[in-house]
Amino acid sequence: MASIDELYARWQQNPDPAQTMALCDALRGSGRADLVEIVGSHASRQLHVPALVAAARMYTDTGRLDDAQSVLVAAGRLAPRDGDVYRWLGEVLLRRGDAARAEKVLERAVQFGGSDPAAAHALLGRARSLAGNRAAPPPAQAARPERVVPPTGTEEEEDIDTLIRKNDDIREALAEALAPLSRPLPAAGQPYGAQTASFGMQPPPGPLPAPAPPPFAAPVASAPPVSLPAQPPPQPFAHPPAPVAPVNRGLEPLRAHDFAKAGESAYRGESPGGKVPEARDVLEALQIAGIYEPDGAVSPQAYAWDRPDKGRRRIASTITLAALALALVGGGFGVLKYVNDRRAKDHVIAEQVLAKVDADLRASDPKLLAPSEQALGRAFELESRSPHAAVTWLHERALKGLLEGGQDLAFEGATGRAKDVGVPDKQIAFAHVASFLFQGDTAGAAATVAKWDPVAQDDAWFHLLAGATFERAGDSRAAERYAAAVKLDPELFVAQAFLTRALAVDGDPHAAADHAKELRIKYPDRVEPMALVALAWARDPMRGEEPPEVKEIVEKADALPQPLRAVAYAAKGIVALERRALDDAKPALQRALALAETPGVASWIGSIALSAGDEALARKAALSAVSFSAVYPPARVLAARVALLGARLDEALKAVEDLPPTSPDVAVVTAAVAYEKLDAERMARAFEAAPADAKKLPFVVPLARGQALLAGGTKEFGSAKAVLDMADDEGPWADLVAMDYALDTGDLELAAKVAAQWKGDVRAPRAVRLARLARYEGKLDDADRMSRAAMEGGTVTIRALAERVFVLVAANKSAEAAALFKTHPNIGGPLAKWLRAYATASGGKIEEARASVSSEDPPPALAPLPARMIAASAYGAMKDARHGNEYAKPIVQAGFANPDMTMAAEKLGLGKVVRRR
């Protein structure tokens, strides 16, 4: 039998009713309170009656009787005629000590049947013995099922206990109402006192006095005596009235014909309680008692009112009434005038308060939000139905969401009030956009912008919220919307700040810098313009020295509104990186990313993290940016750069394949992949698609030099110091291109300095270069470890495969080198044959190596330099001076005097090669 833990594991994978019932049965009496809580909470929300019963039994056995009763009541709503539900509910009520209610519930269990009728009968007997105040019904009566009306299923649900109590109360009320009719009616001619006694009234002693005539009425003519036909009096009820069927929640008030109908059915023998007198007899008895008079019993002329005497005219009373009327009318006019005057004064005060609130909202200072909210409350107290106050309230809600975050803001109440007081739809449209935006539904907000755009073109707040929506979606039209809001309301500071931010992040940083400086001059005491100046500086690729605002904003980060707080921490991270303080940069960037609320800011922070070499933070930033907008180009470029950092070259190309090739970022990603795969043609196409001046951008320059290095050029690199500075640059692939230049030219000292800057985890692209440096230095163990890491750490490229072959050949493991080509048959294309020939010839099989490339042309002069060096090394290993001498000579003369080319030149008869200084 499976254990509870195994059942729970299965239930977690598939919590269907069968698994739930099995787990509930296993948990009964197990003492696993934690699982009882979890499983019971799930089962109690199901619509499966057996599962609910199983959960109730589990609760019962663990002592949670309240929960068991609630679950069974829910099951009763689903299956109102299920005997098992009533049987277990009766047991729960017995356990709770409520024998009276348990008896009623168990009677229904017996009545409806169930899977265990013997247990239901036993529990019913136990309940009756504990109740002690009711005897068991006669067998015939108990065997006859009572009509039960199931619950109607209305919205106001009632549990089974409430229905039981209501049905019992109705039975008792009807029995009490019909009790007088259960007594025998008096015989014809019986005195009045006897009649009243028969209805439960005591006759007064002595003769009855004649009824007094009504005041102001003529004497009433006595009615002729009514003679009743002689008939035997009806037999009194042998039993109390039959119990009335339980009613449901839709019970309507009882009417007179309901009583007549009940009496008629009982008189016909439908009730076990006996016969009820006919309505005719009841009405005759009421007539004798003087309570009821049939139509025509009293003539229409029996009652006649006396005409009052015509008195003298009272002029004073008339004058008094007229004066009173005039006073009332005058007082009403006075009150109306006072109320109108008071309302006019309150309106003036309210408008003054609202004018101050509107000015504070235009200032967009977070410190003024709380006072503005209090002032709005004052305005509503003065004029509760002010349209101006309703619109201002919506403005305050939207501004609070923009400056402090709107996760907890609700616009339904404010929007409803504005509609009730007659505010036009075009003034409320921005609130509909804000409601979606602050709930995180950017798509819904964008759809709402499209819906209300034709209506709200002249509303600055609508354009402000539309710009925030577009910026959240990574749409370049955000700046246009912010500019429209500034044009419509030049004093709306939040629109000016958001416009500057949008220009700095997704537009022209120089234009953003101009805007920020204007705001800095206009608002010298506010911190927001300082943050915008720092943002424009940080986003400028050609930025120079940091402005003084950067230092000020780093110190005042907590005083900024939430949308600009990330800028302060990002600027702090950039300053720390420039000072080589990585321990200070990473925490600042993490804090900045946590505050980012647009894909542009998240992507920017991710690019800074890439410069710091923090791949984990950069990946997190990329995911954050893509979560805001999956189609935002910088977010996808960031994801591609993160993939490049992890040597996932194919993933990087996939990330940018749908982006416009004219983007410098896309050109950088494509060129980096092409550079690593020795694909000079793709690298050239990537730079040709970008603008002409793209190669001058700082983050593009390293790969532009790498393109020149692939073609065999070295003039672009300059001195060794310049190369070392480039290796320390934050541009993509800058350090790798610098290391390749040092290794290709044979400057091992420079290569060692570049390698010294690589600390921490060594990724695949760096591992390829470190393996080559270790091989040149004779450290074959390190070279073997690094070359293996390069093959296993990411996408296997021809660079990684070639270095692994050279390392194995240097370690006299030519057989292992030859086996690599079977493991990676699709790497390198035609170049792989020359690399295999080098391995074969180095293993002593020179003729076999020559035969393998006899029909192949070596890489041409325009081919990438590493490919040509592989072919030259193959010629050297095969000692094919006739072909290899002329092939390797241009490479050596170009200054590429690395150990591989030096060895090949010696074997080809070119003499000793000396590296240029």
Side-chain angles (χ1 to χ4, degrees), residues 532-555:
L532 294 172
V533 171
L535 175 62
W537 167 80
R539 289 290 296 164
D540 188 357
M542 307 295 293
R543 60 175 178 265
E545 295 183 2
E546 62 186 71
E549 285 83 0
V550 174
K551 182 178 180 181
E552 293 182 36
I553 204 60
V554 168
E555 298 174 353

Side-chain angles (χ1 to χ4, degrees), residues 202-446:
Q202 296 298 327
L208 295 173
F216 307 106
V220 181
S222 59
V226 180
S227 61
L228 296 176
Q231 58 181 358
Q235 297 297 323
F237 287 136
H239 299 283
V244 180
V247 294
N248 55 17
R249 289 178 294 276
L251 183 67
E252 298 179 354
L254 294 173
R255 296 178 291 272
H257 68 80
D258 295 326
F259 285 95
K261 184 176 180 181
E264 182 179 359
S265 62
Y267 184 82
R268 294 173 180 172
E270 298 178 5
S271 171
K275 295 183 178 181
V276 177
E278 294 184 358
R280 178 181 62 255
D281 299 332
V282 176
L283 295 177
E284 289 177 355
L286 295 176
Q287 178 183 356
I288 295 172
I291 300 174
Y292 167 74
E293 291 292 344
D295 295 339
V298 180
S299 62
Q301 293 77 17
Y303 293 94
W305 296 92
D306 291 338
R307 185 180 299 276
D309 296 335
K310 189 174 182 181
R312 60 189 180 87
R313 299 178 64 183
R314 296 177 177 84
I315 299 177
S317 300
T318 304
I319 295 174
T320 302
L321 290 175
L324 180 59
L326 289 174
L328 291 175
V329 173
F333 278 113
V335 171
L336 180 61
K337 183 178 180 181
Y338 171 79
V339 171
N340 289 336
D341 182 67
R342 184 64 180 175
R343 287 181 176 176
K345 292 179 179 179
D346 289 346
H347 173 73
V348 172
I349 299 174
E351 288 298 318
Q352 293 175 350
V353 172
L354 292 174
K356 177 65 167 59
V357 174
D358 289 338
D360 291 344
L361 295 181
R362 285 189 174 91
S364 308
D365 191 343
K367 294 181 292 185
L368 299 178
L369 288 176
S372 298
E373 191 170 354
Q374 296 176 358
L376 273 172
R378 171 64 176 158
F380 279 121
E381 291 177 0
L382 293 170
E383 192 176 10
S384 62
R385 296 189 60 79
S386 168
H388 186 180
V391 174
T392 302
W393 187 20
L394 287 172
H395 289 168
E396 186 270 338
R397 296 283 86 190
L399 183 63
K400 186 172 184 179
L402 291 173
L403 297 183
E404 296 182 354
Q407 296 83 358
D408 301 328
L409 287 180
F411 284 82
E412 288 77 8
T415 305
R417 176 186 284 269
K419 290 182 178 179
D420 290 342
V421 298
V423 177
D425 288 340
K426 65 179 182 180
Q427 297 183 23
I428 310 175
F430 76 93
H432 299 303
V433 179
S435 179
F436 283 102
L437 179 64
F438 297 145
Q439 292 176 5
D441 188 357
T442 307

Side-chain angles (χ1 to χ4, degrees), residues 23-39:
L23 186 54
C24 287
D25 292 340
L27 288 173
R28 290 168 53 192
S30 63
R32 298 291 296 274
D34 53 342
L35 296 185
V36 169
E37 176 66 27
I38 295 172
V39 179

Side-chain angles (χ1 to χ4, degrees), residues 663-706:
S663 170
D665 294 313
V666 176
V668 165
V669 173
T670 307
V673 175
Y675 177 81
E676 202 64 18
K677 291 186 174 183
L678 302 182
D679 191 347
E681 185 178 352
R682 173 180 283 183
M683 195 173 188
R685 287 199 308 267
F687 284 126
E688 289 173 359
D693 56 349
K695 290 186 178 182
K696 299 179 182 179
L697 296 175
F699 67 96
V700 182
V701 168
L703 280 170
R705 293 177 180 175

Side-chain angles (χ1 to χ4, degrees), residues 496-646:
Q496 299 178 20
F498 280 21
L499 172 61
T500 307
R501 184 182 70 172
L503 289 175
V505 175
D506 292 315
D508 184 2
H510 298 288
D514 295 338
H515 279 269
K517 291 176 182 177
E518 292 177 4
L519 292 177
R520 185 81 172 94
I521 296 172
K522 188 175 181 180
Y523 304 96
D525 298 330
R526 297 194 61 166
V527 295
E528 293 90 340
M530 299 181 188
L532 294 172
V533 171
L535 175 62
W537 167 80
R539 289 290 296 164
D540 188 357
M542 307 295 293
R543 60 175 178 265
E545 295 183 2
E546 62 186 71
E549 285 83 0
V550 174
K551 182 178 180 181
E552 293 182 36
I553 204 60
V554 168
E555 298 174 353
K556 299 178 181 180
D558 295 335
L560 286 168
Q562 183 173 335
L564 294 177
R565 201 171 297 168
V567 174
Y569 291 102
K572 182 178 180 180
I574 292 175
V575 172
L577 284 177
E578 292 183 348
R579 296 174 181 173
R580 312 299 183 196
L582 293 179
D583 294 338
D584 295 335
K586 291 183 179 180
L589 294 176
Q590 290 174 354
R591 184 72 183 277
L593 181 59
L595 295 170
E597 57 181 16
T598 64
V601 174
S603 300
W604 172 48
I605 296 171
S607 64
I608 302 173
L610 280 177
S611 302
D614 192 342
E615 182 182 359
L617 183 59
R619 176 176 286 273
K620 185 177 180 181
L623 293 176
S624 176
V626 172
S627 67
F628 284 120
S629 175
V631 297
Y632 182 57
R636 297 180 60 180
V637 169
L638 176 61
R641 291 185 60 188
V642 172
L644 284 178
L645 192 62

